[in-house]
Amino acid sequence: MSAEIPVLARDQVSDRAKKTLDIVKKFVDEECIPADAVFHAQLGEGDHRWNTYPPIVDELKARARSLGLWNMFLPKGHHGSAGFSNLEYGLMAEHLGKSRTASEATNCAAPDTGNMEVLAKYGNEAQQRQWLVPLLNGEIRSAFLMTEPDVASSDATNITLTMRREGDEYVLNGSKWWSSGAGDPRCRVYVVMGKSSPNHPDPYKQQSVILVPAGTKGITVKRMMHVFGYDDAPHGHGHIIFENVRVPASSMVLGEGRGFEIIQGRLGPGRIHHAMRAIGAAERALEWMVARVNDPSRKTFGKQLNEHGVLLERLAKSRMEIDAARLIVLNAAMKIDEVGAKGALREIAEAKVLAPEVTLAVIDRAIQSFGGAGVSQDTPLANMWANSRTLRIVDGPDEVHLQQMGKAESKRGRALIAKIARQTSISEQLFKRAGMASKAHL
């Protein structure tokens, strides 16, 4: 795989990362993907799935650690980091995205990755000792609680869960849903965003982030949400109610009113992780499609499937789109490495929007090539499509990112009007010098 790193990025990938990338590819292809079916079989059916998790996970985690594949996501300079850049991990995340078990096996699964980055970047020593260390060791899991059912959470200033200070405690009231990771029996801590300073004149300094131990008195897990019919047990996406939940004031991260600062620091790299895993899902879907159209037992109208021009065109489009999307994502990762997430907002937004769009298109073509089997449990494609579709909503819906990019692009309008006017004026002067009548068109 290291030989397949895009030429534009190759000189920015260390020899150590290239070696690790080869190990990741082999581990995912030969151990994780085959284990995915075992994961689902061990999980079984029924409500007991929320009280356990498949033993194959621990086997894969032990194997990953023995290969040195652990916490690759955490950027250089942070406690527990494996020492890779965002670019280097982005290349690895592509392979992790091909398998249900690979990210967790390497302790690189969401939402733990983002939560660990929050603790590593913004947590104090006590918070890191209590929560970051066991998360880095893979001993516990976590959940991220931001989205709410009763407001338009795409605008985070709308968040209504209250954090009221009472002495040495905060009292939390409100509800959250799509709390990914909350169903896992190993989940021990919630990273919660709420409103602590509702009267602050700056709407972006009204929110805070606080750490809440799972199971704290007053917390009710109302239900687990389904994603196109999948409940994603035991991970789950919880709808959680907070009723007078008391948390020590020492659980506040960084300080009151710092919520947006923390969340932006969390979501930037996280969006790249999602995008690169999406590229991996697209690659795996393309693998299934190529295998399908080359299956000698599949003939229609007297021709092998790979003799039909429409299918060859779909293969070609899929390859081009995947390769283009990969470059967009890697460019964003390199920009984060260079100037930080705050200076790479445009590049992150481009990757966040484009990668899922491409992935969904490729998976859809693969599904179509399989006919009825494509939407069934007999291939991974239907589940891959459902998971990928959520990426157009999580970490900010497409519309928010497109609006921000559109506004930024539109700001060039006045300068471009002046530029075009100057060019037109020069053209008119050239016509006059040449003794020609100016043309209104090219």
Side-chain angles (χ1 to χ4, degrees):
M1 171 58 197
S2 59
E4 300 173 10
I5 298 171
V7 174
L8 293 173
R10 197 171 296 164
D11 65 351
Q12 297 189 45
V13 180
S14 68
D15 290 340
R16 173 174 171 260
K18 291 174 182 176
K19 181 179 179 181
T20 303
L21 186 58
D22 289 333
I23 298 171
V24 170
K25 181 183 186 304
K26 183 178 176 65
F27 176 60
V28 172
D29 285 349
E30 299 182 8
E31 301 188 50
C32 294
I33 290 177
D36 287 346
V38 178
F39 174 92
H40 290 291
Q42 289 180 340
L43 187 59
E45 299 179 358
D47 289 342
H48 80 278
R49 295 172 306 142
W50 301 106
N51 302 316
T52 185
Y53 65 95
I56 192 69
V57 172
D58 283 337
E59 295 178 28
L60 289 171
K61 287 168 74 173
R63 176 62 173 156
R65 295 197 82 158
S66 73
L67 293 171
L69 305 179
W70 198 256
N71 293 335
M72 298 95 71
F73 73 94
L74 197 57
K76 295 177 181 179
H78 292 293
H79 175 75
S81 170
F84 297 112
S85 66
N86 283 286
L87 167 63
E88 291 167 341
Y89 174 63
L91 292 163
M92 298 173 197
E94 175 178 333
H95 290 284
L96 300 181
K98 295 181 178 181
S99 164
R100 165 63 179 79
T101 55
S103 290
E104 184 176 354
T106 55
N107 212 40
C108 292
D112 295 336
T113 48
N115 292 341
M116 284 187 270
E117 285 202 45
V118 165
L119 290 164
K121 292 178 180 178
Y122 309 112
N124 60 38
E125 186 176 345
Q127 292 167 347
Q128 291 178 346
R129 185 169 56 250
Q130 183 178 9
W131 301 120
L132 178 59
V133 171
L135 280 168
L136 287 171
N137 290 335
E139 298 165 358
I140 65 171
R141 298 210 63 186
S142 62
F144 179 59
L145 282 61
M146 181 175 175
T147 304
E148 298 182 358
D150 300 321
V151 297
S153 300
S154 57
D155 178 355
T157 62
N158 290 331
I159 284 174
T160 61
L161 182 139
T162 60
M163 298 176 175
R164 188 181 72 256
R165 181 75 180 256
E166 286 190 5
D168 293 333
E169 294 179 317
Y170 282 94
V171 182
L172 278 57
N173 282 282
S175 62
K176 298 287 185 179
W177 69 347
W178 298 109
S179 306
S180 296
D184 196 306
R186 298 162 295 172
C187 180
R188 294 290 181 270
V189 62
Y190 300 157
V191 178
V192 183
M193 186 174 184
K195 190 163 286 188
S196 59
S197 308
N199 297 319
H200 196 288
D202 185 343
Y204 294 98
K205 293 185 178 179
Q206 296 177 355
Q207 298 77 16
S208 298
V209 169
I210 199 165
L211 306 173
V212 182
T216 299
K217 184 179 179 181
I219 292 177
T220 301
V221 180
K222 183 177 180 179
R223 57 177 174 160
M224 288 295 164
M225 310 301 296
H226 290 197
V227 181
F228 293 106
Y230 297 98
D231 63 13
D232 293 335
H235 181 72
H237 312 281
H239 183 176
I240 300 175
I241 309 299
F242 289 74
E243 295 179 294
N244 295 318
V245 176
R246 292 184 173 272
V247 184
S250 60
S251 297
M252 181 66 68
V253 180
L254 202 59
E256 279 195 19
R258 308 290 291 275
F260 264 89
E261 176 184 349
I262 294 168
I263 294 307
Q264 287 304 316
R266 180 190 191 277
L267 294 181
R271 287 166 179 149
I272 296 302
H273 300 171
H274 278 313
M276 211 63 205
R277 284 191 295 264
I279 299 299
E283 281 284 6
R284 190 174 179 206
L286 182 56
E287 290 173 2
W288 276 75
M289 182 161 50
V290 171
R292 177 70 167 188
V293 303
N294 283 278
D295 182 347
S297 69
R298 302 290 173 176
K299 291 185 177 180
T300 58
F301 307 105
K303 290 183 179 181
Q304 186 85 27
L305 291 182
N306 64 9
E307 295 177 311
H308 289 281
V310 65
L311 288 172
L312 293 175
E313 180 180 331
R314 288 173 183 172
L315 293 178
K317 282 185 175 180
S318 296
R319 169 49 57 211
M320 289 189 297
E321 290 167 5
I322 291 172
D323 288 351
R326 179 185 292 111
L327 291 177
I328 287 286
V329 177
L330 294 181
N331 180 61
M334 288 188 283
K335 190 67 176 287
I336 295 174
D337 287 331
E338 181 182 349
V339 299
K342 192 172 182 178
L345 294 180
R346 186 190 71 186
E347 290 79 6
I348 292 171
E350 290 172 347
K352 167 65 173 66
V353 172
L354 184 63
E357 184 178 287
V358 166
T359 299
L360 288 166
V362 173
I363 296 174
D364 185 73
R365 292 175 192 136
I367 288 173
Q368 197 71 10
S369 73
F370 274 86
V375 297
S376 77
Q377 69 272 37
D378 289 349
T379 77
L381 298 172
N383 185 244
M384 288 166 61
W385 189 93
N387 288 334
S388 298
R389 183 59 182 82
T390 67
L391 297 181
R392 294 192 57 207
I393 300 172
V394 301
D395 290 354
D398 285 3
E399 291 80 3
V400 171
H401 297 290
L402 289 168
Q403 179 170 276
Q404 291 173 343
M405 283 191 286
K407 284 182 177 179
E409 198 68 17
S410 184
K411 288 179 180 178
R412 302 195 302 139
R414 185 172 297 178
L416 290 176
I417 289 172
K419 177 182 178 180
I420 292 170
R422 287 195 304 271
Q423 291 170 337
T424 301
S425 175
I426 294 171
S427 292
E428 290 174 351
Q429 293 173 23
L430 292 173
F431 274 116
K432 186 176 182 180
R433 191 168 67 193
M436 298 171 62
S438 63
K439 301 288 185 179
H441 60 276
L442 296 178

